[in-house]
Amino acid sequence: MFADGMAAAARRAGFSPAAEGEPISGHALLAAMGGIRGLVEAVVPGLVFLVTYTLTRALVPSSSPRS
C-alpha cells in the first residue's frame, strides 16, 4: 500500500517514466530526491549540528554558521 502511494506520488510529480502499475525503481526514487548530492545536502547540516551539540553541549556553536 505504501509503495503504491509513493509510486502514484512520483508519477504525479513527473519524476518517473513508469507506466501505470509498473513498480518504481530505486534509481527513479533516488533521482526524485536529487541524487546523491540531494541526499548529502539534506543530511549533512543536521548531522553536523548533532555531532557539534553532542560534543559541546552548547547551542551557539552548533547553530551559528562559521564564516
Side-chain angles (χ1 to χ4, degrees):
M1 181 179 257
F2 177 74
D4 294 337
M6 290 298 289
R11 278 193 294 279
R12 283 193 305 273
F15 289 123
S16 173
E20 190 66 35
E22 182 181 342
I24 301 297
S25 70
H27 293 291
L29 287 176
L30 184 61
M33 291 184 280
I36 298 297
R37 181 177 176 177
L39 289 176
V40 169
E41 288 180 355
V43 171
V44 168
L47 184 62
V48 169
F49 171 83
L50 181 66
V51 168
T52 305
Y53 180 74
T54 300
L55 294 175
T56 65
R57 297 287 185 199
L59 285 176
V60 174
S62 301
S63 60
S64 61
R66 304 257 178 203
S67 297

Short mmCIF file of all heavy atoms in Angstrom, two decimals:
data_model
loop_
_atom_site.label_atom_id
_atom_site.label_comp_id
_atom_site.label_asym_id
_atom_site.label_seq_id
_atom_site.Cartn_x
_atom_site.Cartn_y
_atom_site.Cartn_z
N MET A 1 0.83 -1.18 0.00
CA MET A 1 0.00 0.00 0.00
C MET A 1 0.88 1.25 0.00
O MET A 1 0.64 2.19 -0.73
CB MET A 1 -0.94 -0.03 1.19
CG MET A 1 -1.85 1.18 1.24
SD MET A 1 -2.98 1.14 2.61
CE MET A 1 -4.45 0.65 1.77
N PHE A 2 1.93 1.28 0.85
CA PHE A 2 2.83 2.43 0.91
C PHE A 2 3.55 2.61 -0.42
O PHE A 2 3.68 3.72 -0.92
CB PHE A 2 3.83 2.25 2.05
CG PHE A 2 4.83 3.37 2.14
CD1 PHE A 2 4.46 4.61 2.63
CD2 PHE A 2 6.14 3.18 1.73
CE1 PHE A 2 5.37 5.64 2.71
CE2 PHE A 2 7.05 4.20 1.80
CZ PHE A 2 6.67 5.44 2.30
N ALA A 3 4.03 1.49 -0.99
CA ALA A 3 4.75 1.56 -2.27
C ALA A 3 3.84 2.08 -3.37
O ALA A 3 4.28 2.85 -4.22
CB ALA A 3 5.29 0.18 -2.64
N ASP A 4 2.57 1.69 -3.35
CA ASP A 4 1.63 2.19 -4.35
C ASP A 4 1.43 3.69 -4.21
O ASP A 4 1.37 4.41 -5.21
CB ASP A 4 0.28 1.48 -4.21
CG ASP A 4 0.36 0.00 -4.54
OD1 ASP A 4 1.30 -0.39 -5.27
OD2 ASP A 4 -0.50 -0.75 -4.06
N GLY A 5 1.35 4.17 -2.98
CA GLY A 5 1.19 5.60 -2.75
C GLY A 5 2.41 6.38 -3.20
O GLY A 5 2.29 7.46 -3.81
N MET A 6 3.60 5.85 -2.92
CA MET A 6 4.83 6.51 -3.35
C MET A 6 4.93 6.52 -4.88
O MET A 6 5.34 7.51 -5.48
CB MET A 6 6.05 5.81 -2.75
CG MET A 6 6.19 6.00 -1.26
SD MET A 6 6.42 7.72 -0.80
CE MET A 6 8.06 8.00 -1.41
N ALA A 7 4.56 5.42 -5.51
CA ALA A 7 4.61 5.35 -6.96
C ALA A 7 3.64 6.35 -7.58
O ALA A 7 3.98 7.04 -8.55
CB ALA A 7 4.28 3.94 -7.43
N ALA A 8 2.45 6.45 -7.02
CA ALA A 8 1.47 7.41 -7.54
C ALA A 8 1.95 8.84 -7.35
O ALA A 8 1.81 9.68 -8.25
CB ALA A 8 0.13 7.21 -6.84
N ALA A 9 2.56 9.14 -6.22
CA ALA A 9 3.09 10.48 -5.98
C ALA A 9 4.22 10.81 -6.95
O ALA A 9 4.30 11.93 -7.47
CB ALA A 9 3.57 10.61 -4.54
N ALA A 10 5.09 9.84 -7.21
CA ALA A 10 6.18 10.06 -8.14
C ALA A 10 5.65 10.31 -9.55
O ALA A 10 6.15 11.18 -10.26
CB ALA A 10 7.13 8.87 -8.13
N ARG A 11 4.63 9.58 -9.95
CA ARG A 11 4.05 9.79 -11.29
C ARG A 11 3.39 11.16 -11.38
O ARG A 11 3.55 11.86 -12.37
CB ARG A 11 3.05 8.68 -11.61
CG ARG A 11 3.70 7.42 -12.12
CD ARG A 11 2.67 6.47 -12.71
NE ARG A 11 1.75 5.96 -11.69
CZ ARG A 11 2.02 4.96 -10.87
NH1 ARG A 11 3.19 4.35 -10.94
NH2 ARG A 11 1.16 4.55 -9.99
N ARG A 12 2.66 11.55 -10.34
CA ARG A 12 2.01 12.87 -10.36
C ARG A 12 3.02 14.00 -10.41
O ARG A 12 2.79 15.02 -11.03
CB ARG A 12 1.11 13.04 -9.13
CG ARG A 12 -0.21 12.31 -9.22
CD ARG A 12 -1.18 12.76 -8.14
NE ARG A 12 -0.62 12.65 -6.80
CZ ARG A 12 -0.67 11.56 -6.03
NH1 ARG A 12 -1.26 10.47 -6.49
NH2 ARG A 12 -0.15 11.54 -4.83
N ALA A 13 4.15 13.80 -9.75
CA ALA A 13 5.19 14.84 -9.73
C ALA A 13 6.02 14.83 -11.01
O ALA A 13 6.81 15.74 -11.23
CB ALA A 13 6.09 14.63 -8.52
N GLY A 14 5.87 13.82 -11.82
CA GLY A 14 6.60 13.75 -13.08
C GLY A 14 8.03 13.25 -12.92
O GLY A 14 8.85 13.46 -13.80
N PHE A 15 8.33 12.60 -11.83
CA PHE A 15 9.68 12.11 -11.59
C PHE A 15 9.94 10.73 -12.17
O PHE A 15 11.04 10.26 -12.13
CB PHE A 15 9.97 12.06 -10.09
CG PHE A 15 10.12 13.40 -9.47
CD1 PHE A 15 9.31 13.77 -8.41
CD2 PHE A 15 11.05 14.31 -9.93
CE1 PHE A 15 9.46 15.00 -7.82
CE2 PHE A 15 11.19 15.54 -9.36
CZ PHE A 15 10.39 15.89 -8.31
N SER A 16 8.94 10.08 -12.63
CA SER A 16 9.13 8.70 -13.05
C SER A 16 8.51 8.45 -14.41
O SER A 16 7.39 8.86 -14.67
CB SER A 16 8.51 7.76 -12.04
OG SER A 16 8.55 6.45 -12.52
N PRO A 17 9.22 7.76 -15.28
CA PRO A 17 8.64 7.38 -16.56
C PRO A 17 7.84 6.08 -16.46
O PRO A 17 7.47 5.53 -17.47
CB PRO A 17 9.87 7.18 -17.44
CG PRO A 17 10.93 6.71 -16.51
CD PRO A 17 10.63 7.42 -15.21
N ALA A 18 7.60 5.58 -15.26
CA ALA A 18 6.91 4.30 -15.09
C ALA A 18 5.47 4.38 -15.59
O ALA A 18 4.78 5.37 -15.39
CB ALA A 18 6.92 3.90 -13.61
N ALA A 19 5.06 3.31 -16.23
CA ALA A 19 3.69 3.20 -16.69
C ALA A 19 2.79 2.83 -15.52
O ALA A 19 3.25 2.40 -14.47
CB ALA A 19 3.60 2.14 -17.79
N GLU A 20 1.50 2.99 -15.71
CA GLU A 20 0.52 2.66 -14.67
C GLU A 20 0.69 1.21 -14.26
O GLU A 20 0.74 0.31 -15.09
CB GLU A 20 -0.89 2.90 -15.19
CG GLU A 20 -1.95 2.81 -14.12
CD GLU A 20 -1.83 3.92 -13.09
OE1 GLU A 20 -1.46 5.04 -13.44
OE2 GLU A 20 -2.11 3.64 -11.91
N GLY A 21 0.86 0.95 -12.96
CA GLY A 21 1.00 -0.40 -12.45
C GLY A 21 2.43 -0.90 -12.41
O GLY A 21 2.71 -1.94 -11.82
N GLU A 22 3.36 -0.19 -13.04
CA GLU A 22 4.76 -0.59 -13.04
C GLU A 22 5.43 -0.10 -11.75
O GLU A 22 5.26 1.05 -11.37
CB GLU A 22 5.47 0.00 -14.25
CG GLU A 22 6.92 -0.38 -14.37
CD GLU A 22 7.57 0.26 -15.59
OE1 GLU A 22 6.85 0.70 -16.49
OE2 GLU A 22 8.80 0.34 -15.60
N PRO A 23 6.18 -0.94 -11.07
CA PRO A 23 6.82 -0.50 -9.82
C PRO A 23 7.91 0.54 -10.10
O PRO A 23 8.56 0.51 -11.12
CB PRO A 23 7.41 -1.77 -9.23
CG PRO A 23 7.54 -2.70 -10.38
CD PRO A 23 6.47 -2.33 -11.37
N ILE A 24 8.08 1.45 -9.15
CA ILE A 24 9.11 2.47 -9.25
C ILE A 24 10.43 1.86 -8.78
O ILE A 24 10.50 1.24 -7.73
CB ILE A 24 8.75 3.69 -8.37
CG1 ILE A 24 7.40 4.28 -8.78
CG2 ILE A 24 9.83 4.74 -8.42
CD1 ILE A 24 7.36 4.83 -10.17
N SER A 25 11.48 2.09 -9.53
CA SER A 25 12.78 1.53 -9.16
C SER A 25 13.49 2.43 -8.15
O SER A 25 13.14 3.60 -7.97
CB SER A 25 13.66 1.38 -10.40
OG SER A 25 14.04 2.66 -10.88
N GLY A 26 14.49 1.89 -7.51
CA GLY A 26 15.29 2.65 -6.58
C GLY A 26 16.00 3.81 -7.26
O GLY A 26 16.16 4.88 -6.69
N HIS A 27 16.40 3.61 -8.51
CA HIS A 27 17.07 4.68 -9.26
C HIS A 27 16.13 5.85 -9.50
O HIS A 27 16.54 7.01 -9.42
CB HIS A 27 17.60 4.15 -10.58
CG HIS A 27 18.70 3.15 -10.42
ND1 HIS A 27 19.95 3.48 -9.97
CD2 HIS A 27 18.73 1.82 -10.63
CE1 HIS A 27 20.71 2.40 -9.91
NE2 HIS A 27 19.98 1.37 -10.30
N ALA A 28 14.86 5.56 -9.78
CA ALA A 28 13.90 6.64 -10.01
C ALA A 28 13.65 7.42 -8.71
O ALA A 28 13.54 8.65 -8.74
CB ALA A 28 12.59 6.07 -10.54
N LEU A 29 13.57 6.73 -7.59
CA LEU A 29 13.38 7.42 -6.31
C LEU A 29 14.60 8.25 -5.94
O LEU A 29 14.46 9.37 -5.44
CB LEU A 29 13.06 6.41 -5.21
CG LEU A 29 11.67 5.81 -5.26
CD1 LEU A 29 11.52 4.75 -4.17
CD2 LEU A 29 10.60 6.86 -5.13
N LEU A 30 15.78 7.72 -6.19
CA LEU A 30 17.00 8.47 -5.91
C LEU A 30 17.04 9.73 -6.77
O LEU A 30 17.40 10.81 -6.29
CB LEU A 30 18.23 7.60 -6.16
CG LEU A 30 19.58 8.23 -5.83
CD1 LEU A 30 19.65 8.58 -4.34
CD2 LEU A 30 20.71 7.30 -6.21
N ALA A 31 16.67 9.62 -8.02
CA ALA A 31 16.64 10.79 -8.91
C ALA A 31 15.62 11.81 -8.42
O ALA A 31 15.85 13.02 -8.49
CB ALA A 31 16.33 10.36 -10.33
N ALA A 32 14.48 11.34 -7.91
CA ALA A 32 13.45 12.25 -7.41
C ALA A 32 13.92 13.03 -6.19
O ALA A 32 13.47 14.14 -5.95
CB ALA A 32 12.18 11.46 -7.07
N MET A 33 14.84 12.44 -5.42
CA MET A 33 15.36 13.11 -4.22
C MET A 33 16.57 13.99 -4.52
O MET A 33 17.15 14.55 -3.62
CB MET A 33 15.73 12.07 -3.16
CG MET A 33 14.53 11.37 -2.60
SD MET A 33 14.96 10.24 -1.28
CE MET A 33 15.53 8.84 -2.21
N GLY A 34 16.95 14.08 -5.77
CA GLY A 34 18.08 14.92 -6.14
C GLY A 34 19.39 14.17 -6.24
O GLY A 34 20.45 14.77 -6.24
N GLY A 35 19.31 12.86 -6.30
CA GLY A 35 20.52 12.06 -6.42
C GLY A 35 21.31 12.04 -5.13
O GLY A 35 20.83 12.42 -4.07
N ILE A 36 22.56 11.62 -5.26
CA ILE A 36 23.43 11.53 -4.09
C ILE A 36 23.64 12.92 -3.50
O ILE A 36 23.63 13.10 -2.28
CB ILE A 36 24.78 10.90 -4.48
CG1 ILE A 36 24.58 9.47 -4.97
CG2 ILE A 36 25.76 10.94 -3.31
CD1 ILE A 36 24.00 8.53 -3.94
N ARG A 37 23.83 13.93 -4.35
CA ARG A 37 24.05 15.29 -3.85
C ARG A 37 22.86 15.78 -3.04
O ARG A 37 23.00 16.41 -2.00
CB ARG A 37 24.33 16.24 -5.01
CG ARG A 37 24.58 17.64 -4.53
CD ARG A 37 24.91 18.58 -5.64
NE ARG A 37 25.06 19.93 -5.11
CZ ARG A 37 25.41 20.95 -5.83
NH1 ARG A 37 25.66 20.80 -7.11
NH2 ARG A 37 25.51 22.14 -5.29
N GLY A 38 21.65 15.51 -3.49
CA GLY A 38 20.46 15.91 -2.76
C GLY A 38 20.38 15.25 -1.39
O GLY A 38 20.02 15.89 -0.40
N LEU A 39 20.73 13.98 -1.33
CA LEU A 39 20.73 13.28 -0.04
C LEU A 39 21.78 13.87 0.90
O LEU A 39 21.52 14.09 2.08
CB LEU A 39 20.99 11.79 -0.24
CG LEU A 39 19.87 10.99 -0.88
CD1 LEU A 39 20.32 9.55 -1.12
CD2 LEU A 39 18.64 11.03 -0.02
N VAL A 40 22.97 14.14 0.36
CA VAL A 40 24.05 14.70 1.19
C VAL A 40 23.65 16.08 1.70
O VAL A 40 23.82 16.39 2.89
CB VAL A 40 25.37 14.75 0.39
CG1 VAL A 40 26.43 15.57 1.11
CG2 VAL A 40 25.89 13.34 0.13
N GLU A 41 23.10 16.93 0.82
CA GLU A 41 22.72 18.27 1.23
C GLU A 41 21.57 18.26 2.24
O GLU A 41 21.42 19.19 3.02
CB GLU A 41 22.33 19.11 0.02
CG GLU A 41 23.52 19.49 -0.83
CD GLU A 41 23.14 20.31 -2.05
OE1 GLU A 41 21.93 20.53 -2.29
OE2 GLU A 41 24.07 20.73 -2.76
N ALA A 42 20.79 17.21 2.26
CA ALA A 42 19.69 17.11 3.22
C ALA A 42 20.17 16.57 4.57
O ALA A 42 19.65 16.97 5.61
CB ALA A 42 18.59 16.21 2.66
N VAL A 43 21.17 15.70 4.56
CA VAL A 43 21.59 15.02 5.78
C VAL A 43 22.71 15.75 6.51
O VAL A 43 22.71 15.83 7.74
CB VAL A 43 22.01 13.57 5.45
CG1 VAL A 43 22.66 12.90 6.64
CG2 VAL A 43 20.81 12.77 4.98
N VAL A 44 23.69 16.29 5.79
CA VAL A 44 24.90 16.84 6.41
C VAL A 44 24.62 17.97 7.41
O VAL A 44 25.18 17.94 8.51
CB VAL A 44 25.92 17.26 5.34
CG1 VAL A 44 27.05 18.10 5.92
CG2 VAL A 44 26.48 16.02 4.67
N PRO A 45 23.78 18.97 7.11
CA PRO A 45 23.58 20.04 8.11
C PRO A 45 23.07 19.53 9.45
O PRO A 45 23.57 19.93 10.51
CB PRO A 45 22.57 20.97 7.45
CG PRO A 45 22.73 20.73 5.99
CD PRO A 45 23.08 19.28 5.86
N GLY A 46 22.11 18.65 9.43
CA GLY A 46 21.58 18.09 10.68
C GLY A 46 22.60 17.24 11.40
O GLY A 46 22.70 17.27 12.63
N LEU A 47 23.37 16.50 10.64
CA LEU A 47 24.40 15.65 11.23
C LEU A 47 25.50 16.49 11.88
O LEU A 47 25.94 16.20 12.99
CB LEU A 47 24.99 14.72 10.18
CG LEU A 47 26.00 13.70 10.66
CD1 LEU A 47 25.36 12.75 11.67
CD2 LEU A 47 26.56 12.93 9.48
N VAL A 48 25.92 17.56 11.21
CA VAL A 48 26.94 18.45 11.79
C VAL A 48 26.42 19.09 13.06
O VAL A 48 27.13 19.17 14.07
CB VAL A 48 27.38 19.51 10.76
CG1 VAL A 48 28.23 20.61 11.41
CG2 VAL A 48 28.14 18.86 9.62
N PHE A 49 25.17 19.54 13.05
CA PHE A 49 24.58 20.13 14.25
C PHE A 49 24.57 19.11 15.39
O PHE A 49 24.97 19.40 16.51
CB PHE A 49 23.15 20.61 13.98
CG PHE A 49 22.44 21.02 15.24
CD1 PHE A 49 22.64 22.28 15.76
CD2 PHE A 49 21.60 20.15 15.90
CE1 PHE A 49 22.00 22.68 16.94
CE2 PHE A 49 20.97 20.52 17.07
CZ PHE A 49 21.16 21.79 17.59
N LEU A 50 24.10 17.90 15.10
CA LEU A 50 24.00 16.87 16.12
C LEU A 50 25.36 16.53 16.72
O LEU A 50 25.51 16.45 17.95
CB LEU A 50 23.36 15.61 15.53
CG LEU A 50 23.17 14.45 16.49
CD1 LEU A 50 22.16 14.82 17.56
CD2 LEU A 50 22.72 13.23 15.72
N VAL A 51 26.36 16.34 15.89
CA VAL A 51 27.70 16.00 16.39
C VAL A 51 28.27 17.16 17.20
O VAL A 51 28.82 16.95 18.29
CB VAL A 51 28.63 15.61 15.22
CG1 VAL A 51 30.08 15.52 15.66
CG2 VAL A 51 28.18 14.30 14.59
N THR A 52 28.15 18.39 16.68
CA THR A 52 28.69 19.54 17.40
C THR A 52 27.99 19.73 18.74
O THR A 52 28.65 19.97 19.76
CB THR A 52 28.55 20.82 16.55
OG1 THR A 52 29.17 20.60 15.28
CG2 THR A 52 29.19 22.00 17.23
N TYR A 53 26.68 19.61 18.76
CA TYR A 53 25.96 19.77 20.02
C TYR A 53 26.31 18.66 21.01
O TYR A 53 26.47 18.90 22.20
CB TYR A 53 24.45 19.80 19.79
CG TYR A 53 23.69 19.97 21.09
CD1 TYR A 53 23.66 21.19 21.73
CD2 TYR A 53 23.04 18.89 21.67
CE1 TYR A 53 23.00 21.35 22.94
CE2 TYR A 53 22.38 19.03 22.87
CZ TYR A 53 22.36 20.27 23.51
OH TYR A 53 21.71 20.42 24.69
N THR A 54 26.44 17.45 20.50
CA THR A 54 26.80 16.33 21.38
C THR A 54 28.17 16.54 22.02
O THR A 54 28.36 16.24 23.20
CB THR A 54 26.79 15.00 20.60
OG1 THR A 54 25.47 14.81 20.07
CG2 THR A 54 27.15 13.83 21.48
N LEU A 55 29.10 17.07 21.26
CA LEU A 55 30.46 17.28 21.79
C LEU A 55 30.56 18.50 22.70
O LEU A 55 31.31 18.47 23.67
CB LEU A 55 31.45 17.41 20.63
CG LEU A 55 31.64 16.16 19.78
CD1 LEU A 55 32.55 16.47 18.60
CD2 LEU A 55 32.19 15.02 20.60
N THR A 56 29.81 19.59 22.38
CA THR A 56 29.97 20.83 23.14
C THR A 56 28.87 21.07 24.15
O THR A 56 29.05 21.86 25.07
CB THR A 56 30.00 22.04 22.19
OG1 THR A 56 28.74 22.16 21.53
CG2 THR A 56 31.14 21.91 21.19
N ARG A 57 27.70 20.47 23.96
CA ARG A 57 26.51 20.72 24.79
C ARG A 57 26.14 22.20 24.80
O ARG A 57 25.60 22.72 25.77
CB ARG A 57 26.71 20.24 26.22
CG ARG A 57 26.92 18.78 26.34
CD ARG A 57 25.65 18.04 26.09
NE ARG A 57 25.91 16.61 26.35
CZ ARG A 57 25.14 15.67 25.89
NH1 ARG A 57 24.09 15.97 25.18
NH2 ARG A 57 25.41 14.43 26.13
N ALA A 58 26.45 22.91 23.73
CA ALA A 58 26.12 24.33 23.61
C ALA A 58 25.43 24.57 22.27
O ALA A 58 25.88 24.09 21.23
CB ALA A 58 27.38 25.18 23.69
N LEU A 59 24.34 25.34 22.30
CA LEU A 59 23.60 25.59 21.07
C LEU A 59 24.28 26.62 20.18
O LEU A 59 24.17 26.54 18.96
CB LEU A 59 22.18 26.07 21.39
CG LEU A 59 21.22 24.98 21.87
CD1 LEU A 59 19.88 25.60 22.23
CD2 LEU A 59 21.03 23.92 20.80
N VAL A 60 24.96 27.59 20.75
CA VAL A 60 25.54 28.67 19.94
C VAL A 60 26.56 28.13 18.92
O VAL A 60 26.42 28.42 17.73
CB VAL A 60 26.14 29.78 20.82
CG1 VAL A 60 26.85 30.82 19.98
CG2 VAL A 60 25.04 30.43 21.65
N PRO A 61 27.56 27.36 19.32
CA PRO A 61 28.48 26.84 18.29
C PRO A 61 27.81 25.86 17.34
O PRO A 61 28.21 25.73 16.19
CB PRO A 61 29.56 26.13 19.07
CG PRO A 61 29.33 26.39 20.50
CD PRO A 61 27.99 27.00 20.65
N SER A 62 26.78 25.21 17.80
CA SER A 62 26.11 24.22 16.97
C SER A 62 25.24 24.84 15.90
O SER A 62 25.10 24.30 14.82
CB SER A 62 25.21 23.33 17.84
OG SER A 62 25.97 22.69 18.82
N SER A 63 24.67 26.00 16.18
CA SER A 63 23.70 26.57 15.25
C SER A 63 24.20 27.78 14.47
O SER A 63 23.58 28.19 13.52
CB SER A 63 22.42 26.94 15.98
OG SER A 63 22.71 27.90 16.99
N SER A 64 25.30 28.40 14.86
CA SER A 64 25.76 29.57 14.15
C SER A 64 26.72 29.18 13.03
O SER A 64 27.64 28.39 13.24
CB SER A 64 26.44 30.56 15.11
OG SER A 64 27.57 29.95 15.69
N PRO A 65 26.48 29.72 11.82
CA PRO A 65 27.38 29.38 10.70
C PRO A 65 28.73 30.06 10.88
O PRO A 65 28.84 31.17 11.38
CB PRO A 65 26.65 29.93 9.48
CG PRO A 65 25.73 30.97 10.01
CD PRO A 65 25.39 30.58 11.42
N ARG A 66 29.76 29.39 10.48
CA ARG A 66 31.13 29.92 10.57
C ARG A 66 31.47 30.59 9.24
O ARG A 66 31.27 30.00 8.18
CB ARG A 66 32.12 28.80 10.84
CG ARG A 66 31.80 28.02 12.07
CD ARG A 66 32.69 28.42 13.16
NE ARG A 66 32.30 27.65 14.37
CZ ARG A 66 32.58 28.07 15.54
NH1 ARG A 66 33.21 29.19 15.71
NH2 ARG A 66 32.22 27.36 16.60
N SER A 67 31.99 31.78 9.30
CA SER A 67 32.39 32.48 8.06
C SER A 67 33.87 32.72 8.02
O SER A 67 34.53 32.88 8.96
CB SER A 67 31.68 33.83 7.97
OG SER A 67 30.30 33.62 7.91
#
